[in-house]
Amino acid sequence: MEITEVTRECDICGCDKNTLISKKPSWTKTSVIKYKNKLYHSTDVMCNNCGVIYKNPMMSRESMRDFYQDAYMQLYEPFNVTSISGVSIALRAVTAIYCLDWLDSIGYDITEKKVFEVGCGFGTLLMAMRSLGAEVAGVEPGKRSSEIGEKVFGFKATVNSFEEFNISHLYDLVIINNTLEHFYSPTEALKKARTMLSPHGKILVEVPSMLYPYPGIPIDGFLSSAHNFTFSKESFEWLAYKCGLKIDYMAYKGHKKCMFFLLSEYKHSETVQLTIPPTKENINKLLNQYQEVNTFIDDISDQVKFTQKMKEEGYLGIAKEYPNHTNVLGISYVNWLLAQNKPKESLDFLNSPAGVWKDNQSEDVDMHPGTLTYLRGLTYRHLGDFLQAKKCFEEAMLQYPHFYKYNFLSDMVINGLIPENIFGTSSWYNCAKTLEMM
Ligand SMILES: [Zn+2]
């Protein structure tokens, strides 16, 4: 079957006016899909009305169905039921913990809830929720993912696209976790998810935020070819409202600072206030904000050269030259100083403005505010101040996602699904082990 593409108006608001954001990406791994011996260069536009970023043209609905049945996994996650590694399983478990942590922080108790996940992958999040007492089910279009889930967890997902899936039960919680951005029509998907809700049921959505691209990845790489839509909080709110849903809770608390939304149905008697009326001024504000966040990424596109310069000339001077340097560079600089046995310089850096965590960029397990606090603790330990060191390690453990709270992760280690040593390089793991020894 030939791949077909279609030119579209905005799925969220119906507007046909848009602004070009990124075209013909050069980032070969994540942005250009080589599929059926043809390269697909994606073009991203921003809707002039609601501000959502989307592919235009976009792969047609039929081509997309074909693509997700098998090719997606071959391109982005090239493993199968026999070659799946502990690292790949662990990565999903870590992502699931961000989700459990957030639900816990807003007081949502998963115990005895009936949960359904749209695009459940291996079923890692569902298995984590089952371990906390939830009753779980899910649909997954990828045959290989569901085979892996069955082998690894004994979890059987329904293999089908969500569009074609027949709803037979109602659920307390429907999850669409890093999946909505892949749909041909997020509007249709979210409306369908709404019909699956039991009275007082909720929808949990996790989507990448357009305001927190990953440092060091150019914009065309961040706007991955497989992401048909990239939302801001405002454009997502527009989508939710259109689907008869309101936002009960929202936070940039997902893995890599993805956005979490907990949604519920609104009654017609309720007034829902959109925070961003669709005016040109507001769209321009979003565009400017986006450009601002991305400026530092262009500055440090050659990270290797930058890191070398930093080591030769010292960090503080360089940091002045690049005020928006990334957290990952600061972290690697402190690691380097400690390896050179220069704890005094490390403390000076951490106490300077350049050593402060920058909140305008994405984060990850090892590029996390907790990592900087952990490194501060290591610095104090090098200096012989064990009391301060211990304080820092304890503070860091509170900042990291609460990996140690959930038995399912340690159970996975015990059951041999995840080798313990893959966490050996993770700063949160080292931090916990160091604390145990103190
Ligand atoms: Zn729109």
Side-chain angles (χ1 to χ4, degrees):
M1 194 174 99
E2 266 295 298
I3 297 239
T4 50
E5 290 182 301
V6 286
T7 304
R8 298 188 66 186
E9 53 191 37
C10 175
D11 180 70
I12 314 303
C13 74
C15 175
D16 61 357
K17 304 272 188 300
N18 50 62
T19 309
L20 182 70
I21 297 285
S22 159
K23 202 180 178 179
K24 287 204 183 303
S26 56
W27 184 263
T28 51
K29 187 167 179 291
T30 53
S31 225
V32 182
I33 296 182
K34 185 163 187 256
Y35 181 42
K36 300 204 169 179
N37 293 321
K38 200 175 155 189
L39 286 177
Y40 289 88
H41 294 274
S42 46
T43 302
D44 285 274
V45 299
M46 181 187 258
C47 171
N48 285 4
N49 192 38
C50 73
V52 76
I53 295 177
Y54 66 101
K55 296 279 179 286
N56 203 16
M58 190 179 284
M59 214 185 264
S60 72
R61 212 183 266 272
E62 295 69 33
S63 292
M64 210 172 281
R65 190 180 301 131
D66 194 34
F67 177 71
Y68 277 101
Q69 270 166 11
D70 203 35
Y72 173 76
M73 190 123 173
Q74 282 178 39
L75 287 162
Y76 287 92
E77 299 173 335
F79 39 68
N80 58 34
V81 72
T82 47
S83 65
I84 179 81
S85 70
V87 178
S88 303
I89 297 170
L91 192 67
R92 282 159 181 79
V94 161
T95 311
I97 286 175
Y98 276 80
C99 194
L100 298 178
D101 254 2
W102 186 64
L103 285 175
D104 190 45
S105 75
I106 60 169
Y108 187 90
D109 185 2
I110 201 77
T111 321
E112 289 179 18
K113 293 284 196 307
K114 286 189 169 63
V115 180
F116 184 89
E117 187 174 3
V118 177
C120 59
F122 308 160
T124 318
L125 177 59
L126 289 177
M127 287 302 97
M129 289 182 162
R130 182 188 276 176
S131 77
L132 295 170
E135 198 181 299
V136 302
V139 64
E140 166 57 43
K143 215 166 48 212
R144 287 196 208 192
S145 291
S146 56
E147 279 169 8
I148 292 168
E150 206 172 334
K151 191 194 168 203
V152 173
F153 300 117
F155 172 69
K156 261 179 112 92
T158 304
V159 183
N160 202 349
S161 71
F162 184 51
E163 287 95 334
E164 287 167 20
F165 174 74
N166 287 320
I167 301 165
S168 53
H169 293 87
L170 297 180
Y171 296 89
D172 303 313
L173 184 67
V174 175
I175 302 172
I176 314 179
N177 185 341
N178 285 300
T179 299
L180 201 61
E181 66 275 17
H182 294 264
F183 275 96
Y184 181 81
S185 171
T187 305
E188 276 177 24
L190 204 52
K191 278 184 178 168
K192 183 163 182 174
R194 203 192 71 177
T195 66
M196 301 176 78
L197 295 180
S198 62
H200 310 295
K202 308 272 184 196
I203 297 177
L204 171 69
V205 176
E206 182 179 356
V207 280
S209 159
M210 65 176 249
L211 291 182
Y212 293 110
Y214 205 69
I217 296 183
I219 186 61
D220 54 358
F222 173 65
L223 296 170
S224 151
S225 282
H227 291 180
N228 284 335
F229 294 85
T230 305
F231 295 96
S232 63
K233 175 178 180 278
E234 290 77 10
S235 55
F236 188 87
E237 195 171 19
W238 186 272
L239 166 69
Y241 180 73
K242 186 185 174 188
C243 297
L245 296 158
K246 62 182 168 67
I247 298 171
D248 293 339
Y249 295 93
M250 183 274 163
Y252 298 95
K253 288 283 186 191
H255 182 235
K256 297 188 177 173
K257 246 178 171 164
C258 284
M259 295 186 283
F260 279 130
F261 294 94
L262 195 71
L263 310 167
S264 62
E265 290 183 275
Y266 68 79
K267 297 175 192 70
H268 283 295
S269 54
E270 288 180 72
T271 317
V272 176
Q273 191 74 49
L274 289 174
T275 51
I276 175 166
T279 66
K280 205 168 170 48
E281 191 194 337
N282 280 320
I283 299 305
N284 282 339
K285 209 172 88 186
L286 270 181
L287 272 171
N288 288 339
Q289 208 175 332
Y290 195 55
Q291 259 161 16
E292 193 184 306
V293 173
N294 277 292
T295 310
F296 70 87
I297 290 176
D298 291 339
D299 282 351
I300 57 129
S301 54
D302 193 349
Q303 279 216 26
V304 178
K305 214 166 84 188
F306 188 91
T307 310
Q308 192 52 39
K309 197 176 170 203
M310 180 177 84
K311 285 175 183 172
E312 283 163 11
E313 299 174 27
Y315 197 92
L316 289 171
I318 306 287
K320 268 182 210 144
E321 216 179 299
Y322 296 89
N324 291 319
H325 75 91
T326 65
N327 292 313
V328 72
L329 288 176
I331 285 167
S332 57
Y333 182 59
V334 174
N335 271 317
W336 179 76
L337 284 176
L338 292 178
Q340 305 292 309
N341 199 21
K342 293 178 175 172
K344 176 81 181 58
E345 286 85 341
S346 171
L347 193 62
D348 285 347
F349 172 76
L350 289 167
N351 287 338
S352 75
V356 174
W357 178 263
K358 281 146 202 76
D359 210 27
N360 68 346
Q361 47 201 276
S362 177
E363 61 186 47
D364 207 340
V365 182
D366 278 325
M367 194 187 68
H368 194 273
T371 314
L372 264 190
T373 313
Y374 167 62
L375 289 173
R376 181 182 283 274
L378 281 186
T379 302
Y380 280 123
R381 203 174 64 169
H382 272 249
L383 291 166
D385 189 340
F386 295 101
L387 196 70
Q388 281 294 339
K390 190 161 188 259
K391 260 192 201 166
C392 289
F393 296 144
E394 282 165 353
E395 192 193 328
M397 286 313 284
L398 293 175
Q399 288 175 306
Y400 286 123
H402 299 132
F403 298 107
Y404 282 88
K405 212 174 113 184
Y406 305 101
N407 287 339
F408 92 102
L409 192 64
S410 46
D411 286 351
M412 284 166 87
V413 176
I414 292 164
N415 295 334
L417 291 174
I418 304 176
E420 190 177 23
N421 64 13
I422 65 159
F423 292 126
T425 54
S426 282
S427 56
W428 63 268
Y429 183 85
N430 288 334
C431 188
K433 292 288 152 195
T434 313
L435 258 180
E436 270 174 30
M437 288 186 292
M438 287 183 91

